[in-house]
Amino acid sequence: MSMLEVNNLEVRYGRIRAIEKLDLTVERGEIVTLIGANGAGKTTTMRAIAGLLAASRGSIRFEDRDITKLKAYKRVPLGISLVPEGRGIFGSMTVMENLDMGTYSRSGKKADSELDRVFELFPRLAERRTQAGGTMSGGEQQMLAIARALMARPDMLLLDEPSMGLAPQFIRQIFRIIKEINAQGTTVLLVEQNANQALAIANHALVLESGRITKTGTGRELLADPSIKEAYLGVA
Ligand code: ATP
């Protein structure tokens, strides 16, 4: 049994079919990367898995349970946390308050040990715990968004373009942290424009084009694929 099994998924915005016939599986412990051009349907896929968009067809199973019709807030306690594109942190709240918001989503778990883990991963957030989220740099805000998602102790972390808009030193740091989070036992589904680094850390990867999966393989296979190189890795 795979941890996440998406079968024949279709998601629509009214008459527009953003995703169709999408199959995707994620095994426990993996990093799976989804790459694709702007508008390919990456964010739609992530939001559907998190429960923020309804499937008009197909099914989503998590840990052998059908969650296709489950509301987003009921998926969090099952172990699915989304770090949305654009981060979605609360700008006027402090770092601590933002992190506290994350713990509400998965009750019955000890928040203190999570806070220790999160501050170990992101020492900068510990230093800035009383600072308003909105006054931090883009990289720090991204760290806060990931940290907040981790406060819910997810078994699977959905990361939607975590490196977007960040300076190169933050991008390297974010990818290092994703690997670390995975090494600590959290399964990761990653959406990225930054295909090079995202494929380099992936066990498996998929290419999404116009709402359909057009290629799958190991991260290494897709990194070496000439058509991928040309389309996504900036190598002619
Ligand atoms: P990006 O990298 O630009 O975020 P993406 O791969 O995440 O792209 P999606 O945001 O999932 O792509 O969009 C997939 C398709 O659905 C696109 O054609 C987009 O125009 C369309 N779409 C997305 N959101 C909406 C919406 N709220 N209403 C109508 N169409 C939408």
Side-chain angles (χ1 to χ4, degrees):
M1 173 193 64
S2 302
M3 189 178 203
L4 178 74
E5 285 180 26
V6 177
N7 280 310
N8 198 30
L9 182 69
E10 178 183 289
V11 181
R12 294 168 161 273
Y13 298 101
R15 292 173 58 190
I16 301 167
R17 211 182 286 140
I19 289 292
E20 57 184 320
K21 299 194 171 117
L22 184 133
D23 293 328
L24 180 155
T25 55
V26 179
E27 306 298 335
R28 176 175 284 281
E30 280 189 327
I31 297 178
V32 173
T33 291
L34 191 58
I35 60 170
N38 280 333
K42 305 181 298 296
T43 295
T44 302
T45 303
M46 295 297 250
R47 290 175 62 82
I49 294 169
L52 296 167
L53 285 172
S56 50
R57 197 175 284 198
S59 67
I60 304 173
R61 296 184 74 82
F62 183 70
E63 304 274 38
D64 211 22
R65 178 177 167 170
D66 189 341
I67 61 165
T68 315
K69 300 243 182 292
L70 210 60
K71 296 261 189 273
Y73 73 93
K74 289 190 173 164
R75 297 189 195 191
V76 180
L78 295 182
I80 301 175
S81 273
L82 170 70
V83 181
E85 185 177 11
R87 303 160 198 147
I89 63 159
F90 303 101
S92 59
M93 289 185 171
T94 66
V95 165
M96 264 317 287
E97 287 165 344
N98 268 281
L99 293 176
D100 281 344
M101 297 299 288
T103 59
Y104 286 117
S105 12
R106 201 169 188 188
S107 55
K109 302 271 180 176
K110 270 236 210 73
D112 286 357
S113 60
E114 282 324 295
L115 196 61
D116 289 346
R117 175 190 177 203
V118 154
F119 282 158
E120 239 167 68
L121 276 169
F122 305 101
R124 181 134 18 175
L125 295 182
E127 292 162 19
R128 304 199 164 208
R129 64 182 84 192
T130 59
Q131 188 170 334
T135 65
M136 298 197 301
S137 73
E140 289 163 348
Q141 291 189 26
Q142 186 62 63
M143 289 178 192
L144 179 56
I146 296 173
R148 185 183 54 188
L150 289 177
M151 290 301 286
R153 291 187 108 257
D155 298 311
M156 178 176 286
L157 191 62
L158 309 175
L159 290 163
D160 193 353
E161 304 219 17
S163 80
M164 191 166 61
L166 302 188
Q169 84 267 20
F170 273 123
I171 295 180
R172 276 194 298 276
Q173 212 174 339
I174 289 286
F175 279 103
R176 191 176 48 71
I177 285 165
I178 295 168
K179 271 169 72 177
E180 176 66 27
I181 290 168
N182 178 251
Q184 290 177 1
T186 309
T187 305
V188 173
L189 179 57
L190 172 65
V191 155
E192 263 296 338
Q193 294 270 343
N194 205 323
N196 226 323
Q197 294 182 74
L199 291 177
I201 65 166
N203 301 103
H204 286 99
L206 306 97
V207 180
L208 192 60
E209 286 175 19
S210 306
R212 289 168 178 259
I213 300 288
T214 53
K215 202 159 254 185
T216 61
T218 64
R220 196 172 295 181
E221 280 164 357
L222 294 201
L223 264 181
D225 185 309
S227 66
I228 303 280
K229 278 188 181 167
E230 193 178 339
Y232 302 102
L233 304 177
V235 186

